[in-house]
Amino acid sequence: MTFVMGPALLFCPADRPERFQKAAERSDAVIIDLEDAVAAADKKRARGAILAQLGSSGEGPELDPSRTIVRINPAGTEDFEKDLHCLAHTPYRTVMLAKTESAEQLRALEGFHVIALCETAAGIVNAPAIAAAPNVVALMWGAEDLLASLGGTSSRKDDGGYRAVALHARSSVLLAAGAFGKEAVDAVYVNIPDLEGLAEEARDAVASGFSSKACIHPGQVAAVRAAYAPSGDEVAAARELLEAARAAGTGVFQFKGKMIDGPILKHAEATLRKAR
């Protein structure tokens, strides 16, 4: 199973069905949220909204299943079971499991493509085992819930940068995903007006190896897309380098005064994949 959605994934509360289509149109994939974005008293109505948008005839969903993710409540909760019962009557088969903490929790999601959201201390520590689960297609990390699980008060310092423990969690999830050939999704940027800070963080996500980044507002999508889109000069340089590699026909060669080997060529190939 391969996760190909992205790079800009946009959260949308499941109890706001009037926003579903707009969110899908403004992003690369929409995350219909049955967890934190919906108050406990409204979760039943939110599940009903997902079912209602299928239409009375059941001919087809309003949202494209290949570009739709449903964030479900944590495993072991009553809402988790109700979420699964709801999804059984829909074509949506990509889910994001909130507060994933162990590989065992994923067994109940057989038949689904799972984005495991590691946002507690247990989830971060167990990220490698979670990434190894066969139905997991991607890992995502969450900063604020993580710090709350540790008894902390904020994931970021006064200058806006992440605290050391948050950076450790971010790297741990990225490395676990990479070790098992799964994609990694970077956490949301909660300071909505700060598009410059978002753009900087998104560029770092690209350079570090995250395949996509989650957004909490439509206004953030453009900054994320721009970060993931290579410039024309970068694409041209990557093509020139790969052509030189084919002409050299050796494992290591010189190009414009620099030694070129396998890892550098992989960077160039990744640039062309992003351009496509």
Side-chain angles (χ1 to χ4, degrees), residues 8-11 31 188-189 198 213-218 220-221 224:
L9 313 179
L10 179 59
F11 277 99
I31 306 170
V188 298
Y189 193 82
L198 168 64
K213 186 170 181 63
C215 305
I216 55 173
H217 190 276
Q220 296 181 320
V221 169
V224 171

Side-chain angles (χ1 to χ4, degrees), residues 76-138:
T77 65
E78 184 178 349
D79 281 312
F80 172 80
E81 299 298 335
K82 292 179 178 179
D83 292 346
L84 291 190
H85 180 73
C86 168
L87 290 176
H89 300 282
T90 77
Y92 305 128
R93 288 297 174 268
T94 301
V95 300
M96 178 181 288
L97 178 60
K99 299 177 178 63
T100 307
E101 294 192 323
S102 70
E104 288 73 22
Q105 294 175 339
L106 300 163
R107 294 174 184 168
L109 293 171
E110 184 178 355
F112 288 95
H113 298 179
V114 183
I115 302 169
L117 177 49
C118 301
E119 51 184 343
T120 66
I124 300 301
V125 170
N126 293 325
I130 291 168
N135 57 338
V136 167
V137 294

Side-chain angles (χ1 to χ4, degrees), residues 53-238:
Q53 60 91 38
L54 297 174
S56 58
S57 64
E59 292 178 355
E62 176 184 339
L63 299 173
D64 179 357
S66 69
R67 295 180 55 243
T68 302
I69 303 160
V70 180
R71 177 160 76 165
I72 57 178
N73 286 278
T77 65
E78 184 178 349
D79 281 312
F80 172 80
E81 299 298 335
K82 292 179 178 179
D83 292 346
L84 291 190
H85 180 73
C86 168
L87 290 176
H89 300 282
T90 77
Y92 305 128
R93 288 297 174 268
T94 301
V95 300
M96 178 181 288
L97 178 60
K99 299 177 178 63
T100 307
E101 294 192 323
S102 70
E104 288 73 22
Q105 294 175 339
L106 300 163
R107 294 174 184 168
L109 293 171
E110 184 178 355
F112 288 95
H113 298 179
V114 183
I115 302 169
L117 177 49
C118 301
E119 51 184 343
T120 66
I124 300 301
V125 170
N126 293 325
I130 291 168
N135 57 338
V136 167
V137 294
L139 267 64
M140 178 176 163
W141 77 289
E144 301 311 321
D145 279 298
L146 170 63
L147 267 292
S149 79
L150 296 171
T153 58
S154 174
S155 66
R156 295 183 186 266
K157 299 176 289 186
D158 291 342
D159 64 2
Y162 279 123
R163 299 186 187 281
V165 66
L167 288 174
H168 173 77
R170 185 178 190 241
S171 298
S172 296
V173 167
L174 176 61
L175 289 168
F180 291 92
K182 308 299 173 67
E183 302 295 342
V185 181
D186 199 21
V188 298
Y189 193 82
V190 298
N191 188 352
I192 296 173
D194 183 18
L195 294 179
E196 183 176 340
L198 168 64
E200 180 179 355
E201 188 167 288
R203 288 192 293 269
D204 180 76
V206 176
S208 298
F210 286 94
S211 66
S212 52
K213 186 170 181 63
C215 305
I216 55 173
H217 190 276
Q220 296 181 320
V221 169
V224 171
R225 282 177 169 168
Y228 275 86
S231 68
D233 289 344
E234 289 171 332
V235 171

